[in-house]
């Protein structure tokens, strides 16, 4: 791992599940797992909110959340963003809406000096909230995404097609679903990640996906966009860490100047990984985050 500055004990876990249903409310109450440190640090700042990427959920970040709670002595809230995991579904799925949900979460739980950590979709949500409401955020960690418009990998569209085919097939076992998904994704690890969204609704024999495939399929075209265009109008003047996978395309070198304009106090940590930085290199990721967030002497 290479880090550079660029300037222009077991945890206690409590799980809260929001009622997973379709809602028309403008702000969604997010489901979450709370990972509390066994030995809270007396001089530590506030809580950490950890946000997953597209098709992910709070359970994907369980291990790293526990590790950060332990290492930093801070509570970590791993949340399910709207249309994911156990959080409600909504027809609108964009970064402004997701940022408003997280702002509401901070206010609902009366959190202060909050750190935002987000991967991919969660990273752009963190960036959006930091720029929109900097008074709610102490610092951010953006994992393999940048404040630029960039098309999503074409594989995400293929995943939606494969997942829809699985639902149409009325599968009863995960092995059946995996056999279908093989036509859309070769990697067993990624297939397992996607199939982690499968569940059997109460009273039904067949398995369905927790995520609303139609809503997310429509949202794909816009999830590569970033809602802010002009860093001359808005910027986040507090610390920010951008962690990028050096074998990923989402944070190219040419994006670094625009990152510096929106986030003038940012640091960059390069990790030899693809887009799935946290799962590919968890130790290196944890080290980069702890070094960034540990109290400065």
């Amino acid at each position: 791992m290479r880090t550079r500055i660029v300037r222009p004990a077991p945890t206690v876990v409590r799980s809260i599940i929001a009622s997973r249903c379709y809602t028309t409310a403008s702000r969604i109450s997010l489901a979450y797992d709370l990972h509390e440190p066994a030995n809270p640090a007396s001089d530590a700042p506030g809580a950490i909110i950890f946000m997953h990427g597209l098709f992910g959920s709070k359970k994907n970040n369980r291990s790293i959340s526990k590790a950060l709670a332990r290492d930093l002595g801070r509570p970590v809230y791993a949340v399910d963003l709207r249309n994911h995991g156990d959080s409600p579904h909504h027809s609108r799925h964009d970064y402004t809406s997701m940022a408003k949900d997280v702002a509401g979460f901070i206010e609902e739980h009366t959190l202060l000096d909050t750190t935002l950590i987000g991967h991919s979709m969660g990273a752009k949500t963190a960036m959006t909230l930091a720029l929109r409401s900097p008074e709610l955020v102490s610092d951010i960690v953006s994992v393999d995404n940048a404040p630029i418009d960039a098309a999503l990998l074409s594989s995400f569209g293929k995943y939606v097609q494969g997942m829809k085919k699985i639902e149409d097939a009325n599968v009863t076992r995960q092995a059946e679903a995996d056999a279908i998904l093989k036509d859309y994704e070769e990697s067993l690890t990624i297939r397992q990640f996607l199939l982690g969204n499968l569940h059997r609704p109460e009273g039904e024999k067949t398995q369905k996906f927790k995520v609303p495939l139609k809503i997310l399929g429509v949202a794909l075209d816009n999830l590569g966009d970033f809602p802010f265009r002009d860093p001359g109008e808005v910027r986040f003047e507090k610390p920010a860490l951008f962690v990028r996978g050096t074998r990923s395309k989402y944070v190219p070198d040419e994006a670094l100047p625009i990152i510096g304009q929106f986030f003038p106090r940012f640091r960059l940590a390069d990790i030899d990984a693809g887009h799935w930085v946290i799962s590919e290199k968890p130790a290196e990721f944890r080290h980069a985050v702890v070094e960034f967030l540990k109290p400065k002497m």
Side-chain angles (χ1 to χ4, degrees), residues 115-137:
T115 293
L116 303 179
I117 302 178
H119 171 249
S120 194
M121 180 182 75
K124 278 191 171 175
T125 300
M127 287 183 265
T128 300
L129 179 54
L131 293 170
R132 178 180 177 271
S133 303
E135 71 282 358
L136 297 178
V137 182

Side-chain angles (χ1 to χ4, degrees), residues 161-171 180 207-209 213:
Q161 295 175 18
M163 294 161 82
K164 285 181 177 178
K165 189 170 182 180
I166 288 169
E167 286 204 334
D168 292 341
N170 294 319
V171 302
I180 294 172
Q207 296 190 23
K208 301 295 181 184
F209 285 100
L213 297 174

Side-chain angles (χ1 to χ4, degrees), residues 265-282:
R265 294 181 61 190
F266 91 99
R267 296 184 179 190
L268 180 69
D270 282 340
I271 295 178
D272 181 21
H275 182 57
W276 311 95
V277 180
I278 302 172
S279 59
E280 290 181 42
K281 294 293 179 67

Side-chain angles (χ1 to χ4, degrees), residues 26-46:
S26 59
R27 184 181 74 78
I28 282 176
S29 182
L30 302 177
Y32 66 94
D33 285 344
L34 172 57
H35 303 272
E36 297 184 294
N39 299 299
S42 59
D43 59 345

Side-chain angles (χ1 to χ4, degrees), residues 229-242:
R229 294 288 185 272
D230 186 0
E233 294 181 356
V234 60
R235 63 183 57 191
F236 184 70
E237 302 282 357
K238 302 175 188 179
L241 175 66
F242 280 72

